[in-house]
Amino acid sequence: MQDESDGYTKSQELRSFLFLTAVMAPVLTVIIVAGYGFAVWIYQMFAGPPGS
């Protein structure tokens, strides 16, 4: 027999899924893109703009 405390209920799973898709995915995307842009900016401060 399985207890209620052993697994997640459907509402908990739905809340977790919605949190991951509506909050965490966009936040991680913004962080990754901003981090890449920051890295390119820092690189260009030392190496100069492209083509120079």
Side-chain angles (χ1 to χ4, degrees):
M1 258 186 162
Q2 191 174 13
D3 265 20
E4 280 290 324
S5 62
D6 288 346
Y8 294 104
T9 64
K10 285 186 187 266
S11 65
Q12 287 174 321
E13 287 183 8
L14 179 61
R15 255 184 296 155
S16 297
F17 173 75
L18 291 175
F19 175 74
L20 289 172
T21 56
V23 176
M24 287 309 293
V27 167
L28 288 174
T29 302
V30 168
I31 289 171
I32 290 168
V33 171
Y36 178 74
F38 184 74
V40 169
W41 177 61
I42 293 295
Y43 170 74
Q44 288 181 352
M45 283 176 56
F46 296 107
S52 65

